[in-house]
Amino acid sequence: MSAAALALAQAPVEDHDAATALPVIDLSELDAPGEHAAFHERLARIARDTGFFYLEGHGIDVQRIRTLERLTRETFQLTADAKDRIAIRNTPHFRGYTGVGGEITRLKPDLREQLDFGEELPAVTSSDPEHPVWWGLQGPNQWPDELPELKPAVLDWLDETRVVAERLLRAFLVALGQAPDALDALIGAPRNHRLKIIHYPGQPQGQSDQGVGAHKDGGLLTLLLQDDVGGLQVLGSNGWIDVPPRENAFVVNIGEMLELATNGYLRANVHRVVSPGNGADRYSIAYFFSPSLHAQDVPLLTLPVALAEQATGPESDPDNPLFRHIGTNALKGRIRSHLDVAERFYPAQFALLKAQAVAHGRPLQASAY
């Protein structure tokens, strides 16, 4: 067992629920020569205890951050016609623009607008009627002609952030007594990582404040860059914890696929965004580090005995089951979030979701969002 894993197994669980800010991990500590046992031990403790943390020392140039932040704001200043030309409902790949209320979480509309991107790949085509439906997730992005600077900036960001996420994932694995390349088969090409740029308009007092509803992320890790307007919260044992902005730092959280890989030793964290009030606007840039669709199933890591004894299995909501098969799980999440795309391109899956909603007394219509 690694020193970090042994220390984690023996240490008491720390409670950060009363904290006003999350722990901070400096990834550049791994650049220093010598042993990094203290870094891995702290990362392991935070991962098991809090699961949310700030990441500094990531090496992404501040000017690149400022550029993408500026382009994010300019994107949402485009005309309604320009946004509609790249609407997410145009393709089966779940790439493109979604207006306020167009994405839903737990069957309620999220009061944000966003533009979804993925790795720039050709659509998968096949004449085989048995071709898995989840291959529709792979395909090209939609780009606004009015903002040509956005495409190279987003594609560069996808590449740079992937390097950070890969390095962080390998550090997690070492901290848990694994070989650093134990999950490399999950993250190889063709890659399935996603990026979402988001605008949360300020909401009048007394209106819904669901910027995005309580949920878990479906990938391995999420790296979020947020502006100076608050609203992000993570659910702790004593209730919701505010995640204050920290300039140039990512907020990192664990996704469901890492929960599956560790048999629930690590937990994907429930989090939400409360809409800003008083006319404020909030912007964020979310990178979702996710398994390749080619990887098929999420493997189960063989944890050291002391850690495995604390792994109680992954959580799974009966109304939103968690699948080990990567394509099935990824498509399920997209279908549940984007009813307009589901109704148009995935009618069988949409019909099933609609029947489930009716059974719970909450009928839905894609056109209602």
Side-chain angles (χ1 to χ4, degrees), residues 298-320:
V298 177
L300 183 63
L301 298 173
T302 303
L303 297 177
V305 173
L307 303 188
E309 289 175 346
Q310 301 176 54
T312 57
E315 295 178 346
S316 187
D317 183 346
D319 296 328
N320 184 19

Side-chain angles (χ1 to χ4, degrees), residues 81-366:
D81 285 346
K83 294 174 182 177
D84 194 59
R85 284 193 292 273
I86 56 169
I88 198 168
R89 65 176 180 275
N90 293 342
T91 80
H93 314 308
F94 296 92
R95 316 286 179 85
Y97 174 77
T98 303
V100 175
E103 183 173 14
I104 65 170
T105 303
R106 297 183 181 272
L107 301 181
K108 292 184 178 180
D110 296 325
L111 301 181
R112 62 179 184 175
E113 58 176 339
Q114 61 200 29
L115 194 53
D116 280 85
F117 306 98
E119 302 287 338
E120 187 74 10
L121 295 168
V124 176
T125 57
S126 173
S127 58
D128 183 355
E130 299 300 318
H131 196 64
V133 67
W134 42 263
W135 273 116
L137 295 170
Q138 179 174 309
N141 294 295
Q142 298 189 83
W143 304 99
D145 293 336
E146 298 81 358
L147 200 58
E149 192 182 353
L150 183 64
K151 180 176 180 178
V154 164
L155 295 181
D156 285 348
W157 189 265
L158 281 165
D159 287 341
E160 288 200 66
T161 313
R162 172 178 53 81
V163 172
V164 175
E166 287 178 350
R167 193 177 191 197
L168 182 59
L169 176 65
R170 290 173 180 138
F172 264 105
L173 291 169
V174 171
L176 297 180
Q178 308 296 302
D181 61 354
L183 292 179
D184 275 11
L186 273 188
I187 56 175
R191 299 184 178 94
N192 187 37
H193 313 309
R194 298 186 298 111
L195 181 70
K196 187 190 297 280
I197 59 175
I198 311 164
H199 169 221
Y200 298 87
Q203 299 299 317
Q205 193 167 12
Q207 300 295 315
S208 170
D209 65 355
Q210 180 171 306
V212 60
H215 68 286
K216 296 181 178 183
D217 289 341
L220 291 162
L221 296 168
T222 299
L223 279 66
L224 176 74
L225 191 68
Q226 55 177 343
D227 66 6
D228 57 359
V229 177
L232 177 62
Q233 297 179 329
V234 58
L235 185 61
S237 59
N238 295 326
W240 291 105
I241 307 166
D242 288 326
V243 183
R246 189 177 180 92
E247 189 174 19
N248 302 325
F250 286 112
V251 177
V252 177
N253 66 275
I254 293 166
E256 290 177 321
M257 297 299 97
L258 198 51
E259 181 174 328
L260 278 174
T262 62
N263 195 34
Y265 180 80
L266 298 181
R267 295 287 188 186
N269 310 85
V270 176
H271 53 287
R272 69 182 184 184
V273 173
V274 177
S275 293
N278 302 320
D281 289 278
R282 181 181 190 271
Y283 297 88
S284 64
I285 300 164
Y287 175 81
F288 301 96
F289 187 60
S290 304
S292 171
L293 295 174
H294 281 259
Q296 297 296 314
D297 290 344
V298 177
L300 183 63
L301 298 173
T302 303
L303 297 177
V305 173
L307 303 188
E309 289 175 346
Q310 301 176 54
T312 57
E315 295 178 346
S316 187
D317 183 346
D319 296 328
N320 184 19
L322 184 58
F323 301 105
R324 189 168 291 275
H325 185 266
I326 292 162
T328 301
N329 205 67
L331 180 60
K332 174 211 68 176
R334 300 285 82 203
I335 291 290
R336 294 176 68 91
S337 297
H338 292 279
L339 301 182
D340 49 357
V341 181
E343 186 176 40
R344 181 176 181 184
F345 294 104
Y346 301 92
Q349 289 76 17
F350 176 71
L352 178 60
L353 178 61
K354 189 175 179 180
Q356 291 171 342
V358 170
H360 286 81
R362 300 174 66 181
L364 57 85
Q365 295 284 343

